[in-house]
Amino acid sequence: MSPRRTSRALALALVSGLCACPGTPTTDSAPAAVTHEPVSKTFPREASAPTPEALRNALQVLGDRAAVVLVLRDAGWPETVAQLGALAPESAPALESPEALLRATLESFEIQVSAAPLRGRDPDRAIVLSMTEAPDELSLGRTVRVLHGVTTEPFPGVRHQLLVPARDPDALRDSLSAWFSAEREPWPELVSGRAGARAFRLPDGFIAVLPEGQGVRVVIVHTSTGQLLAQLRARLDATPVELPDTPATRQLGDPRAPFAALLRPWRGREERRALNVIEIHSLLGVVPPDQRASVLANAVRIALDVELMLSSVGVELDDWSVSVSSVDGTLRGRAVGSLTPAGRRVFAARGAGLPRAPAVIAPDDVSEQWLRADVSAMVAASERASEFLELPLEQRRAMWGNCARCTSHAILRAPFSTLGSIFPDAPGVRELLAASPRALQFVTFSPGEYYKPRYALAVLCAPGATIDGAATARGLTSGDARHAVTTRDDGELLLIGEGVEPAPVFDLNASVPATEAIAGGRVQLDALLGALGLPHPRAPGSPSALTLSSRVVTAGPALVVDIVAGDAAALGPVPDFTGVDWASPMGVPPRSAGATCLRAAALRGREFLARQREGDGTWPEDLDAQLRCAAADVATAESAADLQRTLEALRDAPRDPDRAARGEPEASP
């Protein structure tokens, strides 16, 4: 997603999944009255239980290095798969069984496995896969050093860990060994001294099958370079941790969900560091020698952009769980985010007694999504990174554009802090926040000719707010949009439309139902797939039309997002996380003078590399002072030294002096 589109998405919806599309202005319309329901509906609650002991033990054994952990259960698999298969028949082979989905997941990492069934597995306990664990020692400084010297510097590679519960440990070990041994050379020296263990070589790592207790742990390390046997052996060991009792980990234990995943956005920075190294190592295999210096300089600049953008400032959510299940014959998806203390303050600022978005009366729409929150107050309640606001908007957008994980990090980790730190002065966003939006309704229709978007947007702002409709529409869209501004008794209403006149889409005298939800919506899946030219097959006996309904609500220290195949009445109760407590925020290092200086040095370093790319190799005046400050702190001294050596080497690296004169762009990752 481009930086401009990201700023629109964060401004318009944040948690409700709305997006902005192109459109052209018209004139204002007359005032309207609106009727209200006096009381908001409160959803029933259901008790949440601590994570089951067997799953808790498995997660603790595998540690917390992975940004994503996949959990697969046999319970509920046939019912859930039957409904998913009707929606996506092409996925049927991968959904045949937990083992089939595990096999497909491993093959997505280019780890080919046998199609043989696993013997000796315990189907009553979950399979757990810890994915893409970055090396412990991959600090900021080490990352840029490895990127610059990617063909000579050793790199530990990324690791995946798989824990499969056993009824017959020996049979399971043999079966897993057969899965991974095809066309791979055995490597007994790697697992010497480990009873019953087996290992196999990969071109850039290894696979080890390790019997442990009542299960078998598989360790896969790949993309490693320059590692000694002793270093690879060290990667065999797991690092157990105490599993925090968060709302996300509780939801992960839902026994009704055959598919579940735990997301740790606070591990995103380390994961991205490792993936940057892997991608550049691959790219250098096809880059001409005269462009290598430029590619490496750009790789380091992008790595610094990612480091700066994936900030630990103002984090609002710690971890997430995502699960899919079939309950009482209804297909359900649920995501639970664990709110940090800062996140709870932000969502508490949502406000009470807020107006509601206008009701929709368009009979042929594809989807409706609404948001009900004082967005400006929530942004004001967030902790913002002042270092970004000091930069020009275009520089912030350029840095965001280089950050492959920024959008997911913003949504999962710090939505309101990101909006307030990176995009508060973006065109359209600036005008919208100034008008204090309280409610929003976004309606999409089947695309027009050449798939041109057709949508209508209604934004209800504070009573008496001044809204520059034309400027807001221009800033939030990439083309012309019709717009109108009208006054209701509960606020000023801005309407924007692309491909449709916005006013007839809404009943300006009525509103969406009054509930405690922050956001909600409905998608006509058949219409959406048909509009996109995609097939939408049906299972026998299924209804001719399929509606997906959604809801976003806070539940104590949690943010809960529900989606069901059906209308809103099927959404059901909300889990109760009252009293759940954990050490929060996760993954936020202690602030120190050295860390502050290192971030400042990284910012100056990326500015230097960006200017050098344009032909200006002037060394920033305050860069040396920031590096000395970071070097004086034991926690950041090594990274400061690595960053300084790398930037100096890139400054002094020979480059093609005629490339700019010929008008040829520098090579870029």
Side-chain angles (χ1 to χ4, degrees):
M1 184 181 289
S2 71
R4 182 185 174 108
R5 287 186 64 82
T6 299
S7 64
R8 295 181 209 138
L10 287 170
L12 293 179
L14 296 162
V15 293
S16 62
L18 309 185
C19 66
C21 308
T24 39
T26 64
T27 57
D28 296 355
S29 57
V34 60
T35 59
H36 295 287
E37 297 174 33
V39 180
S40 291
K41 175 184 176 182
T42 300
F43 301 108
R45 295 306 199 255
E46 61 181 1
S48 69
T51 309
E53 185 176 0
L55 177 58
R56 181 182 184 84
N57 291 340
L59 292 167
Q60 292 185 153
V61 164
L62 295 176
D64 64 1
R65 293 296 308 172
V68 180
V69 180
L70 182 65
V71 176
L72 304 176
R73 297 180 180 87
D74 288 77
W77 193 278
E79 300 86 348
T80 304
V81 165
Q83 296 183 64
L84 284 174
L87 300 180
E90 68 282 356
S91 66
L95 296 175
E96 181 181 351
S97 67
E99 294 171 16
L101 183 56
L102 175 61
R103 187 183 299 112
T105 304
L106 292 171
E107 290 177 351
S108 72
F109 296 115
E110 300 183 356
I111 306 297
Q112 301 301 315
V113 299
S114 163
L118 290 179
R119 294 176 291 106
R121 181 171 72 86
D122 183 354
D124 294 331
R125 290 184 287 155
I127 297 171
V128 183
L129 176 61
S130 176
M131 298 187 282
T132 317
E133 300 176 5
D136 293 351
E137 63 272 28
L138 201 61
S139 63
L140 167 61
R142 177 76 188 280
T143 302
V144 297
R145 191 179 81 203
V146 172
L147 281 171
H148 180 244
V150 72
T151 57
T152 57
E153 285 282 343
F155 177 61
V158 299
R159 182 175 75 170
H160 315 288
Q161 292 188 87
L162 168 65
L163 192 58
V164 184
R167 281 186 176 170
D168 184 338
D170 291 341
L172 181 59
R173 176 204 58 196
D174 293 344
S175 191
L176 282 167
S177 297
W179 253 33
F180 294 110
S181 63
E183 300 183 12
R184 296 188 177 107
E185 179 187 353
W187 197 359
E189 295 84 2
L190 182 70
V191 292
S192 176
R194 293 176 181 262
R198 297 172 185 174
F200 308 94
R201 291 183 185 271
L202 294 175
D204 54 359
F206 65 82
I207 299 174
V209 180
L210 311 170
E212 293 184 357
Q214 295 302 306
V216 177
R217 185 167 61 92
V218 177
V219 178
I220 303 170
V221 171
H222 62 134
T223 67
S224 66
T225 58
Q227 297 294 288
L228 301 175
L229 181 60
Q231 293 172 308
L232 292 174
R233 279 180 177 162
R235 302 296 300 280
L236 292 171
D237 296 324
T239 306
V241 297
E242 183 71 21
L243 183 71
D245 183 26
T246 69
T249 56
R250 286 193 168 211
Q251 182 61 33
L252 194 70
D254 184 351
R256 302 170 296 182
F259 312 98
L262 177 64
L263 312 179
R264 300 186 183 107
W266 51 279
R267 286 296 189 194
R269 184 187 293 109
E270 291 93 336
E271 179 192 40
R272 192 61 238 173
R273 288 171 183 166
L275 294 177
N276 278 346
V277 172
I278 295 166
E279 290 164 3
I280 295 305
H281 192 278
S282 175
L283 180 63
L284 286 180
V286 297
V287 169
D290 66 321
Q291 297 186 30
R292 290 171 64 90
S294 295
V295 168
L296 293 173
N298 288 334
V300 172
R301 176 175 57 86
I302 289 171
L304 293 177
D305 284 348
V306 172
E307 195 74 22
L308 291 161
M309 288 283 127
L310 300 187
S311 172
S312 294
V313 174
V315 298
E316 294 152 13
L317 292 138
D318 274 328
D319 57 0
W320 285 83
S321 64
V322 180
S323 59
V324 180
S325 62
S326 175
V327 180
D328 298 328
T330 299
L331 186 65
R332 301 175 182 273
R334 171 168 284 171
V336 173
S338 309
L339 290 167
T340 67
R344 290 172 226 178
R345 288 193 297 272
V346 167
F347 279 87
R350 171 202 173 197
L354 291 168
R356 290 172 278 132
V360 177
I361 55 176
D364 59 341
D365 63 334
V366 171
S367 72
E368 303 169 13
Q369 305 288 336
W370 57 266
L371 174 71
R372 188 183 181 205
D374 188 336
V375 176
S376 299
M378 295 174 79
V379 170
S382 69
E383 182 182 1
R384 281 160 282 177
S386 59
E387 62 200 56
F388 294 128
L389 296 177
E390 297 170 0
L391 303 176
L393 175 62
E394 289 309 311
Q395 183 174 340
R396 278 177 263 145
R397 280 180 164 168
M399 293 171 68
W400 186 276
N402 285 332
C403 181
R405 290 289 189 273
C406 275
T407 300
S408 61
H409 180 271
I411 294 171
L412 297 176
R413 187 67 161 151
F416 291 91
S417 176
T418 300
L419 183 59
S421 298
I422 310 297
F423 298 116
D425 51 352
V429 178
R430 176 181 56 241
E431 290 82 6
L432 204 58
L433 291 179
S436 190
R438 310 291 178 85
L440 181 149
Q441 177 74 270
F442 185 70
V443 184
T444 62
F445 299 86
S446 298
E449 188 178 12
Y450 304 113
Y451 290 97
K452 289 184 178 179
R454 298 171 63 238
Y455 78 97
L457 171 68
V459 184
L460 186 59
C461 298
T466 300
I467 306 174
D468 188 335
T472 306
R474 283 195 305 269
L476 293 178
T477 65
S478 56
D480 294 330
R482 302 175 180 90
H483 83 269
V485 177
T486 188
T487 298
R488 298 202 323 180
D489 62 359
D490 54 355
E492 303 298 317
L493 183 65
L494 169 64
L495 304 177
I496 298 175
E498 159 66 11
V500 297
E501 287 291 343
V505 173
F506 303 101
D507 182 350
L508 301 186
N509 297 314
S511 297
V512 298
T515 75
E516 64 173 309
I518 299 170
R522 175 190 60 79
V523 176
Q524 289 297 130
L525 191 60
D526 296 76
L528 176 62
L529 294 176
L532 297 175
L534 300 174
H536 43 100
R538 297 256 154 256
S542 64
S544 59
L546 178 59
T547 300
L548 299 181
S549 300
S550 63
R551 170 187 67 197
V552 181
V553 64
T554 54
L559 187 66
V560 180
V561 183
D562 284 313
I563 301 176
V564 297
D567 60 27
L571 283 165
V574 174
D576 185 0
F577 296 109
T578 303
V580 177
D581 193 21
W582 67 99
S584 177
M586 296 177 178
V588 178
R591 294 187 183 180
S592 67
T596 300
C597 291
L598 184 63
R599 285 185 63 81
L603 182 58
R604 296 293 174 264
R606 71 85 49 202
E607 291 172 352
F608 161 68
L609 293 172
R611 288 199 305 268
Q612 186 186 54
R613 180 181 170 90
E614 302 300 323
D616 179 4
T618 305
W619 190 257
E621 291 184 6
D622 58 346
L623 177 54
D624 288 327
Q626 299 291 1
L627 288 167
R628 284 194 299 272
C629 169
D633 186 332
V634 64
T636 54
E638 184 177 355
S639 276
D642 285 336
L643 179 59
Q644 181 164 2
R645 282 193 295 267
T646 300
L647 291 174
E648 289 174 347
L650 290 169
R651 177 190 61 188
D652 301 333
R655 306 170 76 84
D656 181 354
D658 299 323
R659 182 172 295 277
R662 293 195 301 265
E664 299 177 14
E666 296 279 12
S668 177

